[in-house]
Amino acid sequence: MMEIPSLAFLPCLWVTWMCVGVITTLCMTLIGGHLQELVPYICSTGAYYPESVVFTVVFCISAVLGVLTMYVMYKRMTVLSSENGRPIAQIILLLAGWTTCAGMMILGIFQVKPYPTLHLIGTLLAIVPGTMYSICQAFFLYTVSQCSKHLRRLRSVICAMAIITSLTLTASYIASVKLCHPGIVCVLPANTISAIGEWIWVTTLMLTILTYTPECQLLCMKFTCKLDQDWICLREKVHAGPEYP
């Protein structure tokens, strides 16, 4: 039986891929002379060719890594939630997390220049459920997780930052849309604040994902020939020896 002894690499891989990809598209935008704003939106780094191709690949693969990471977290939390009588809440959270990943894929495929409406829909699907997922997951982990209190408090601080950033991002974006005219590069403070808020929100999301590493470390993946068996389980259950009366 083949086995991956720990799944802690998944959140780390997701964060690393996302950070490297966004920085790469930003550098390509700067080198290509396509940067028009003082502080660009993340979506603006993929508005022109060839960085738009990299932008699509980065966000589509990031969405897949997000689906895998959130499913692993779901498997971990179902064990803890079953002991506290809240397994249904984890199913709802998993759906919210996968909605976030679907939004990331939509905004990656449909760039802001040719498809502004679809890109905005993808952005909303990524930010709103993503913020709710981070908040609710931090609450559940604070109450049932076995990790240190410092890590649980850190998650709470990051979630508070995500809430403030989301509200600021929404208000400043609405202000920039009402005050900016189509076809004109907007340099209003509201537009700049909205762009900064987007970067901070993505940073809080990446930090939240990194805090899932200790939880994913407790899980392993075993490959069996029987499809009806669960491939993801707690490490102690896999490595435990036979029980004797």
Side-chain angles (χ1 to χ4, degrees):
M1 180 177 63
M2 296 181 60
E3 177 186 322
I4 299 178
S6 175
L7 298 178
F9 69 92
L10 267 179
C12 297
L13 179 61
W14 185 12
V15 171
T16 302
W17 172 263
M18 188 69 178
C19 293
V20 172
V22 170
I23 292 174
T24 300
T25 56
L26 179 60
C27 292
M28 292 178 66
T29 303
L30 291 172
I31 295 173
H34 297 152
L35 186 63
Q36 298 178 343
E37 300 91 353
L38 177 63
V39 180
Y41 287 97
I42 295 177
C43 60
S44 299
T45 62
Y48 299 94
Y49 182 85
E51 53 263 30
S52 60
V53 178
V54 179
F55 185 87
T56 300
V57 173
V58 167
F59 274 83
C60 287
I61 295 181
S62 180
V64 174
L65 293 175
V67 168
L68 296 176
T69 302
M70 290 177 178
Y71 181 72
V72 170
M73 281 299 299
Y74 164 75
K75 297 297 292 184
R76 170 58 180 156
M77 293 302 296
T78 49
V79 176
L80 297 174
S81 297
S82 61
E83 299 173 355
N84 295 271
R86 290 179 294 192
I88 298 179
Q90 287 304 315
I91 297 177
I92 297 175
L93 269 186
L94 178 64
L95 294 177
W98 282 358
T99 302
T100 300
C101 297
M104 293 176 63
M105 186 166 291
I106 292 173
L107 67 88
I109 296 175
F110 302 100
Q111 279 85 14
V112 65
K113 288 295 182 180
Y115 310 103
T117 302
L118 290 176
H119 187 86
L120 180 60
I121 293 174
T123 303
L124 292 176
L125 288 176
I127 292 179
V128 177
T131 303
M132 296 305 299
Y133 179 88
S134 300
I135 296 171
C136 295
Q137 199 69 283
F139 172 77
F140 286 128
L141 287 171
Y142 193 90
T143 55
V144 301
S145 178
Q146 300 174 355
C147 63
S148 65
K149 291 183 178 180
H150 298 290
L151 183 58
R152 286 182 281 179
R153 290 170 182 170
L154 177 61
R155 288 195 191 105
S156 302
V157 173
I158 295 174
C159 288
M161 292 175 57
I163 295 173
I164 296 173
T165 304
S166 299
L167 296 176
T168 304
L169 176 61
T170 303
S172 56
Y173 179 79
I174 293 174
S176 64
V177 169
K178 289 185 176 181
L179 296 176
C180 292
H181 300 284
I184 301 177
V185 178
C186 186
V187 292
L188 292 175
N191 190 72
T192 303
I193 293 173
S194 180
I196 294 174
E198 186 180 55
W199 284 95
I200 295 176
W201 184 86
V202 172
T203 302
T204 58
L205 177 63
M206 296 297 103
L207 292 175
T208 302
I209 295 166
L210 281 179
T211 63
Y212 297 156
T213 303
E215 304 295 337
C216 295
Q217 191 175 5
L218 300 176
L219 298 174
C220 68
M221 178 178 288
K222 57 178 181 177
F223 301 94
T224 63
C225 297
K226 298 180 179 179
L227 297 179
D228 58 339
Q229 291 185 355
D230 198 350
W231 287 21
I232 300 177
C233 57
L234 292 175
R235 292 176 62 184
E236 56 265 28
K237 290 187 177 181
V238 174
H239 296 291
E243 298 182 358
Y244 297 99

